[in-house]
Amino acid sequence: MDTLSYKTVSANRTTVNKEWLLVDAEGETLGRMASKVAYLLRGKHKPSFTPHVDCGDNVVIINAEKIVLTGNKWSDKSYMRYTGYPGGQRTTSVKQLLEKNPEGILEKAIKGMLPKNRLGAELFRNLKVYAGTEHGQEAQKPTVVNLKDIK
């Protein structure tokens, strides 16, 4: 038996095969969808997954305004930020964010599920979220992905 044929192959930027995927957010639950999209962005569904390399796919999400939240989250869930000044803590409810920036709800959820380092920032740039059905990535010919098929 040739033991040299069992070497572990580590992917790098040149050997990674990145694809464009299209995900429809209509009727999907926010957290469940965000974890599956983060899984695709990270590249964990590929056999050549390498933890320190951006080996995930580019993901385009459409119909972000038709996302579903369970329970009373439409009224109870809030996002907090801090301006940097004393007494500068600001809160925004999900309803306010949906009216102002529907893409922001999905972006915040997915970004929170990516690594908190330079790799996570690089992976987040591979995500495109759109409120309606129209998107600017028709030229890349994204393949439609059914999130129910992902574990």
Side-chain angles (χ1 to χ4, degrees), residues 22-27 33 60-67 97-107 127-137:
L22 180 68
V23 176
D24 190 2
E26 186 172 2
M33 179 188 175
V60 180
I61 300 176
I62 57 173
N63 293 323
E65 79 281 355
K66 296 178 183 171
I67 199 79
L97 193 58
L98 182 71
E99 292 168 5
K100 188 174 183 180
N101 181 15
E103 299 94 357
I105 298 172
L106 268 171
E107 288 174 352
L127 176 70
K128 311 285 185 215
V129 183
Y130 296 98
T133 57
E134 299 297 318
H135 60 88
Q137 274 70 37

Side-chain angles (χ1 to χ4, degrees), residues 74-94:
W74 283 115
S75 57
D76 296 346
K77 185 173 176 67
S78 64
Y79 295 104
M80 299 181 104
R81 63 184 178 89
Y82 184 64
T83 63
Y85 290 96
Q89 188 173 6
R90 305 283 188 259
T91 59
T92 306
S93 72
V94 179

Side-chain angles (χ1 to χ4, degrees), residues 42 111 114-125:
R42 191 81 203 277
K111 189 170 188 174
L114 293 175
K116 277 62 171 184
N117 52 24
R118 283 179 287 178
L119 177 64
E122 189 177 340
L123 292 170
F124 186 67
R125 286 187 213 110

